[in-house]
Amino acid sequence: MIIANWKMNGNRAQVIEWLDCLQKYLTLSEQSECIFCPPLIYMDIAQEQISLNKMKITLGSQNLDYDSKHPKTGGIDASMLNDLGCKSVIIGHSERRLYFSENNSILSKKLVSASKNNIDIVFCIGETEAEKDKGLCHEVLREQLKALSGLQIKKLFIAYEPVWAIGTGKIPSMKYIEEIHHFIKDELKCSHYYNSDRPVLYGGSVNFDNASEISNLDSVNGLLVGGASLNPRNFSDIVKKIGQNNIWKIY
Ligand code: PGA
């Protein structure tokens, strides 16, 4: 699984151009490995273009709002995402934790909403540089994973995104990524709710040069790509390169 997370970038014309370009460069089977997460406001136009081009790429959302009894001006819930043909959602991204104050209690509600509506969940966790330097990485990740406790989510993917690697060009060593991914998998296995192996994706400054080395690691089951996904040629090249070097691990 390779996710293109556009964050707050792009416009209608770029969404169409990006999808047309992927249709040209990627085979249907390569497309089926990809999830496209444009800004919410462009999901409709993206879905239209995916249908028009008869593409196999999956549409995903960067966010959703949890169900609530109270009216919520500006809110978008999981049933609306379903209505748009959206199959996956990113929850817990560090930028949302930081700039939108999303804590474990809010994230748990979002997880429940997505799960109830059969939307696959990509749940992001990751430590800051200061936390890493203090040796707190395991503790921080364990705390973030608590948002999942008590929930039984069928289609759950974890994305490990060290906050210090997002958009910085800094990449952890392969040994570090491998160790943390194994830690996350083991934590989930011990959690009573997820006693089977769960796919863990890596995200944070993934680009054409490092994508295949990272994706070749045994414990890495996919990639979450931000900045390098905006250019369709770059993104397609990443997808192709990984496809050549890597038969994705079955999970
Ligand atoms: P980046 O972003 O690839 O630009 O580092 C990744 C992400 O935040 O999902």
Side-chain angles (χ1 to χ4, degrees):
M1 181 195 281
I2 309 170
I3 303 175
N5 174 17
W6 270 26
K7 310 192 182 189
M8 202 166 71
N9 291 293
N11 57 37
R12 287 164 68 89
Q14 282 165 356
V15 167
I16 293 171
E17 193 195 327
W18 192 87
L19 286 164
D20 285 351
C21 202
L22 257 69
Q23 171 72 336
K24 198 160 125 202
Y25 291 126
L26 298 181
T27 63
L28 289 179
S29 120
E30 286 165 339
Q31 289 174 21
S32 68
E33 302 281 347
C34 304
I35 299 178
F36 179 34
C37 301
L40 264 167
I41 195 156
Y42 301 130
M43 300 257 294
D44 218 4
I45 185 103
Q47 184 54 46
E48 254 177 64
Q49 201 62 19
I50 289 170
S51 306
L52 201 70
N53 289 352
K54 300 190 171 44
M55 296 176 78
K56 288 282 183 205
I57 191 166
T58 302
L59 189 63
S61 172
Q62 298 176 23
N63 185 34
L64 91 170
D65 296 299
Y66 57 85
D67 301 335
S68 120
K69 287 183 222 90
H70 309 291
K72 272 206 200 137
T73 300
I76 309 269
D77 73 11
S79 67
M80 295 170 190
L81 295 183
N82 264 336
D83 197 26
L84 282 177
C86 166
K87 305 272 184 251
S88 318
V89 63
I90 298 173
I91 296 178
H93 193 285
S94 59
E95 287 151 12
R96 295 211 55 97
R97 291 176 190 264
L98 182 64
Y99 302 119
F100 297 86
S101 308
E102 293 187 358
N103 55 24
N104 272 9
S105 144
I106 291 174
L107 294 174
S108 290
K109 290 183 198 158
K110 291 186 172 213
L111 290 162
V112 170
S113 290
S115 177
K116 271 204 300 204
N117 286 275
N118 294 317
I119 299 179
D120 296 356
I121 293 166
V122 179
F123 185 59
C124 300
I125 57 173
E127 81 287 4
T128 63
E129 187 141 43
E131 288 161 346
K132 170 177 70 78
D133 293 346
K134 284 189 205 144
L136 294 173
C137 183
H138 286 190
E139 218 170 308
V140 168
L141 297 179
R142 195 174 279 134
E143 184 58 34
Q144 292 173 343
L145 286 171
K146 280 190 189 154
L148 295 164
S149 61
L151 311 179
Q152 276 172 310
I153 298 168
K154 274 177 267 142
K155 286 289 203 78
L156 172 72
F157 302 80
I158 303 293
Y160 169 57
E161 296 206 298
V163 180
W164 51 274
I166 296 177
T168 58
K170 291 188 203 165
I171 286 277
S173 70
M174 296 304 119
K175 196 168 158 244
Y176 189 86
I177 297 177
E178 191 82 319
E179 192 268 311
I180 299 293
H181 276 229
H182 281 302
F183 168 78
I184 294 168
K185 283 171 189 271
D186 289 346
E187 280 296 302
L188 287 172
K189 274 190 212 158
C190 302
S191 71
H192 305 296
Y193 303 105
Y194 299 100
N195 47 10
S196 59
D197 207 6
R198 287 285 153 168
V200 181
L201 284 58
Y202 172 81
S205 292
V206 173
N207 60 32
F208 180 74
D209 295 326
N210 58 34
S212 78
E213 191 183 7
I214 299 172
S215 67
N216 274 334
L217 295 172
D218 266 355
S219 61
V220 174
N221 306 111
L223 299 173
L224 178 43
V225 189
S229 72
L230 291 170
N231 179 302
R233 203 52 217 260
N234 281 353
F235 184 71
S236 302
D237 285 345
I238 292 174
V239 175
K240 285 212 173 287
K241 193 170 186 196
I242 289 172
Q244 280 159 13
N245 298 350
N246 197 31
I247 298 166
W248 284 98
K249 280 77 72 177
I250 306 294
Y251 39 78

